[in-house]
Amino acid sequence: MKIAIGSDHAAFPLKSILVAHLREKGFEEILDMGTDTDSLPCDYPDIALKVGEMVAQRKADRGVLLCGTGVGMSIAANKMPGVYAAHCHDVETASMSRRHNNSNVLTLGARILSPETAVEILDVWLSTEFEGDRHSRRLSKIADYEQKICPSCCLSDKGKTVIFDHPLVQHKVSIIRDKNTSVKEFRELVQEIAGLMVYEITRNLPLVKIQVETPLALTDAYALEGKKLAIVPVLRAGLGMVDGILQLVPNAKVGHIGLYRDPETLMPVEYYCKLPGDISERDILILDPMLATGGSASAAISLVKARGGKKVSLVCIIAAPEGVSKVHGDHPDVDIFAAALDSHLNDHGYIVPGLGDAGDRLFGTK
């Protein structure tokens, strides 16, 4: 069983005790999602959502969350579709939360429980099986409602589509849609939008604890763990997004993919593909501002995978439903990130309302 565990600073000592206990019990796959110290304040929602996402995406079988009372962690984790967090204060609630509710996340209060009681609750919760039967029917109603109110945010091990609703992103997208926006301004805004998007895409990059000496004292701090990233623009329009991302992630390696559409078959044809030699070890962001029919984007993803790429995401500015369906149909494991999801494609394959040909507007060509 793979267990994701996390705590805020108040519960860090109890988390250390539970992790050691789990290892003694033979649980080898323990994913510690932080925090790493009790000397720096930590906001419990950040940890709760990390652990919740691991469980919802089935990257972990169960999750354990700890804070002062356990209540905050429970509230935050249960905002994640697919997470059923149970706040338990004794072995009976732990047992019932598994037997009747199939809880997949356990929350505990470090200021409420002794370490011995917390260990006892954890052991019962991990060892108790879900009874199913009438309880399955009731849980399915919760899952159905999650799907009803937010079909795009129900996480799974399949690729997701994320549309950015940040006000700055939406404001800048409105400007690049305007046909009167100059080439210079269009180019600058595409870079800015790409930078704002990758800021959110990289939100969960892993960190390591380091020590930094300030002018006043030695303190704990955090640095990127060294996750390897690659950005791969699809020529030529994808080039407009590169600099905006490199400003935030200057150590990312850059590949290039060139495709054109065969006039007879209308299928994408490769004319250039140059990728980093260690592409199989990197998280890859394929850049294509306009996801229209999805043919070129899907072909670019196939090229990257054929050369060893494993963790691939597609980053667009404007997407059409037809393109999203095409990419997820061909590559169900790929996440799609877009600043806007437009209405449809017209008879010529252009996104409506869209913004026209992104390559022409970037480079001032017709």
Side-chain angles (χ1 to χ4, degrees):
M1 183 185 296
K2 186 179 293 186
I3 301 171
I5 187 168
S7 74
D8 66 2
H9 57 286
F12 175 75
L14 179 58
K15 186 189 73 169
S16 301
I17 292 171
L18 295 186
V19 168
H21 173 72
L22 288 170
R23 296 196 190 283
E24 289 176 5
K25 295 276 288 186
F27 292 94
E28 296 181 356
E29 292 189 283
I30 301 172
L31 307 173
D32 191 336
M33 309 304 294
T35 186
D36 300 318
T37 178
D38 56 2
S39 63
L40 290 175
C42 170
D43 293 334
Y44 65 82
D46 296 334
I47 303 298
L49 295 174
K50 283 182 181 180
V51 171
E53 187 166 335
M54 295 297 287
V55 173
Q57 291 183 333
R58 301 186 184 92
K59 295 177 181 177
D61 300 300
R62 303 271 187 92
V64 178
L65 288 166
L66 316 164
C67 64
T69 65
V71 174
M73 286 292 193
S74 177
I75 292 172
N78 277 318
K79 297 299 182 184
M80 180 76 65
V83 168
Y84 305 106
H87 178 48
C88 299
H89 53 82
D90 57 31
V91 294
E92 181 63 18
T93 53
S95 174
M96 294 296 286
S97 77
R98 286 290 306 135
R99 289 165 53 201
H100 289 186
N101 310 115
N102 199 22
S103 62
N104 52 18
V105 173
L106 172 68
T107 70
L108 300 171
R111 292 175 179 155
I112 307 300
L113 303 170
S114 68
E116 294 77 16
T117 301
V119 165
E120 189 177 5
I121 291 172
L122 178 61
D123 285 345
V124 169
W125 186 77
L126 288 173
S127 62
T128 303
E129 296 296 328
F130 177 50
E131 291 180 354
D133 195 32
R134 66 189 187 279
H135 307 299
S136 296
R137 182 181 73 250
R138 293 160 183 167
L139 287 176
S140 69
K141 292 184 177 182
I142 299 174
D144 289 344
Y145 187 72
E146 287 176 334
Q147 180 67 26
K148 176 183 176 182
I149 63 172
C150 190
S152 65
C153 65
C154 290
L155 299 176
S156 70
D157 52 357
K158 294 184 178 180
K160 59 182 179 290
T161 300
V162 178
I163 309 300
F164 291 91
D165 59 358
H166 193 286
L168 286 176
V169 172
Q170 294 305 309
H171 173 72
K172 294 174 187 295
V173 168
S174 297
I175 300 174
I176 63 173
R177 287 189 191 275
D178 190 336
K179 66 179 183 180
N180 297 312
T181 298
S182 68
V183 170
K184 175 180 180 295
E185 191 175 11
F186 188 94
R187 188 178 298 148
E188 292 171 347
L189 286 166
V190 166
Q191 292 180 18
E192 292 171 8
I193 293 168
L196 288 168
M197 290 176 67
V198 83
Y199 176 83
E200 286 296 326
I201 292 168
T202 57
R203 174 175 290 276
N204 291 323
L205 285 178
L207 297 171
V208 292
K209 187 170 66 176
I210 62 172
Q211 284 202 322
V212 173
E213 187 171 1
T214 76
L216 301 178
L218 196 67
T219 184
D220 291 334
Y222 294 96
L224 288 174
E225 189 177 45
K227 189 77 171 181
K228 294 182 176 180
L229 296 177
I231 56 176
V232 182
V234 178
L235 303 176
R236 62 184 167 142
L239 292 173
M241 303 172 69
V242 171
D243 286 346
I245 295 175
L246 288 179
Q247 288 178 20
L248 291 181
V249 195
N251 289 326
K253 289 191 176 179
V254 182
H256 296 87
I257 290 178
L259 299 164
Y260 71 90
R261 182 182 296 182
D262 185 285
E264 294 184 1
T265 66
L266 302 181
M267 298 297 292
V269 179
E270 171 195 351
Y271 68 86
Y272 186 79
C273 184
K274 185 74 170 180
L275 302 176
D278 58 351
I279 195 69
S280 63
E281 302 172 14
R282 295 181 175 270
D283 282 4
I284 304 149
L285 302 179
I286 294 180
L287 313 179
D288 194 356
M290 308 298 287
L291 178 58
T293 64
S296 295
S298 179
I301 294 168
S302 295
L303 285 174
V304 170
K305 287 182 174 180
R307 286 161 173 78
K310 296 181 177 65
K311 177 57 178 173
V312 182
S313 299
L314 177 64
V315 185
C316 313
I317 293 179
I318 309 290
E322 295 90 336
V324 172
S325 296
K326 169 67 175 175
V327 170
H328 275 163
D330 294 345
H331 304 283
D333 58 316
V334 170
D335 292 339
I336 299 174
F337 299 94
L341 181 65
D342 280 9
S343 173
H344 64 282
L345 300 178
N346 65 15
D347 294 340
H348 300 287
Y350 279 89
I351 301 175
V352 179
L355 49 76
D357 187 296
D360 285 344
R361 296 196 64 186
L362 277 165
F363 300 108
T365 55
K366 293 288 188 179

